[in-house]
Amino acid sequence: VPSFFAGKNKADMGKGGSSGESWTSYKPEPASVLELRSDFIWDTKDEPHATRRRQIQKAHPEVRKLMGPEWRSKYICLFFLVLPQIWLSWATMELSWPKYLAVAYVFGATITQALFLAIHELAHNLFFKKPQLNRFFAMVANWPIGIPYCVPFRGYHLEHHKYQGIDGIDTDIPSRFEGRWIQGPTTKAIWACCQILTYALRPMFIKAQDVTHAHIMNWASQIAFDVLIFYLWGWKPLFYFVICIFLAGGLHPCAGHFISEHYVFPHLDAVQETYSYYGPLNWLTWNVGYHNEHHDFCNIPWSRLPALKAMAPEFYDNLATCDSWIGVIWNYILRPEIGPYNRVKRQLPEYLRSDAEAVAAQTRAKVE
């Protein structure tokens, strides 16, 4: 078994989650054997981000200056994403199919992916200081997506951060059905073409949410917007919104982040469960590629994540990274040792088994 820290056993260290070792000593090591997995990677230690966060805070107390909302985000989202996407839904109505699909793929799907990730930033209260303003603005960002989604996403996503990898709580992890059936290039290619469906539908099958006032507001706001668009321009703009969802969450360069963030790539490192990508597509996706940095400090907005990496290079430069989102989709499809089972899972830790909120999270998703 490769060592996680110099001279240590990876299985014993559990990726640093509960160890006293410094993350500055991390040394990625590829797996000695690359083979198709028949089960998830089960870990007995806590997720890695809490310990690295504490170590960075101790080494760099000035990191607190990076925390808090980014005031420019709301203007970028409204004027470069929401309004242009609404305009495109109208402007494409009479285009020929080749031109329509080209515009929808190149511009529409890219904007939709950016809207997904704007809602991700809003889920962490990183647009406004007041939490409720983030909730309301998320519904505005949701409008050109066409389907109400921002409220359920927030509930599932915050649990993904709080309980990363915990069996039955973190719905970001593929199901066993996916692990058994999505094997080989053909089924993995089909999955990659419509992976947005698995991200949207999987949580509802694994663990439902109670319908709250926030859900009703999300639905009412979205239905009102869709009815207005239909009244003004008919069904074609609504079709445009929906097709952009599928294009954005399929074989699109920006969709590579879905795979790159938390899959284990054994040819790079045997157990590392979160990867960062530092390439140019971050400019289109709110720096979501800085994913180790984001999970370490989810209260630092997209615009300051590069500053976090620059502030604490000894904690990040030694981690394995994803060099290409296009490449990660290619590798997922064609490399037999990469598939749905390449995710780290852990049982609910002993110290949380008497925690009412954690126990409840195993059966119902919380919406704050």
Side-chain angles (χ1 to χ4, degrees), residues 353-366:
R353 292 178 186 176
S354 59
D355 182 86
E357 182 178 343
V359 172
Q362 292 183 296
T363 55
R364 303 293 287 184
K366 183 178 180 180

Side-chain angles (χ1 to χ4, degrees), residues 85-86 88-90 92 97 100-101 104-105 108-113 115-116 142-149 193-194 196-197 200 222 225-226 229 234-250:
Q85 188 74 327
I86 294 172
L88 279 172
S89 74
W90 167 81
T92 56
W97 272 108
Y100 181 90
L101 291 175
Y105 184 85
T110 305
I111 291 175
T112 294
Q113 188 67 248
L115 288 168
F116 290 157
N142 198 154
W143 285 346
I145 294 174
I147 298 171
Y149 124 94
C193 287
C194 54
I196 195 66
L197 285 178
Q222 190 64 52
F225 173 81
D226 291 349
I229 293 295
W235 63 270
K236 290 184 178 180
L238 299 177
F239 178 81
Y240 170 86
F241 293 146
V242 173
I243 198 171
C244 285
I245 294 174
F246 285 93
L247 293 174

Side-chain angles (χ1 to χ4, degrees), residues 76-277:
I76 294 170
C77 183
L78 182 62
F79 293 109
F80 289 92
L81 300 177
V82 174
L83 294 178
Q85 188 74 327
I86 294 172
W87 178 80
L88 279 172
S89 74
W90 167 81
T92 56
M93 288 172 57
E94 303 305 325
L95 291 181
S96 64
W97 272 108
K99 292 180 180 179
Y100 181 90
L101 291 175
V103 171
Y105 184 85
V106 175
F107 298 103
T110 305
I111 291 175
T112 294
Q113 188 67 248
L115 288 168
F116 290 157
L117 295 167
I119 290 171
H120 168 257
E121 287 282 301
L122 286 154
H124 292 289
N125 296 329
L126 293 175
F127 274 31
F128 302 92
K129 290 183 179 179
K130 293 183 178 179
Q132 197 59 43
L133 292 179
N134 290 279
R135 311 290 188 279
F136 290 148
F137 199 88
M139 296 181 193
V140 175
N142 198 154
W143 285 346
I145 294 174
I147 298 171
Y149 124 94
C150 66
V151 170
F153 167 79
R154 184 173 188 273
Y156 288 121
H157 183 70
L158 294 184
E159 287 187 342
H160 162 63
H161 273 266
K162 189 172 184 179
Y163 304 106
Q164 180 175 315
I166 293 182
D167 188 33
I169 300 182
D170 185 359
T171 57
D172 185 71
I173 295 176
S175 64
R176 286 199 174 274
F177 176 84
E178 293 169 81
R180 286 193 299 266
W181 291 98
I182 301 171
Q183 299 182 7
T186 301
T187 52
K188 288 197 287 185
I190 293 170
W191 180 90
C193 287
C194 54
Q195 59 179 308
I196 195 66
L197 285 178
T198 65
Y199 278 92
L201 299 178
R202 181 199 302 140
M204 293 186 290
F205 284 108
I206 294 176
K207 187 177 59 173
Q209 289 182 353
D210 293 326
V211 176
T212 66
H213 180 67
H215 285 89
I216 295 172
M217 288 181 63
N218 189 192
W219 295 338
S221 169
Q222 190 64 52
I223 291 171
F225 173 81
D226 291 349
V227 168
L228 176 62
I229 293 295
F230 183 81
Y231 174 78
L232 293 174
W233 301 320
W235 63 270
K236 290 184 178 180
L238 299 177
F239 178 81
Y240 170 86
F241 293 146
V242 173
I243 198 171
C244 285
I245 294 174
F246 285 93
L247 293 174
L251 295 179
H252 189 280
C254 293
H257 82 87
F258 289 126
I259 299 173
S260 74
E261 290 168 356
H262 294 293
Y263 278 79
V264 174
F265 303 104
H267 61 292
L268 299 178
D269 187 87
V271 294
Q272 184 175 314
E273 63 182 281
T274 305
Y275 279 75
S276 288
Y277 157 81

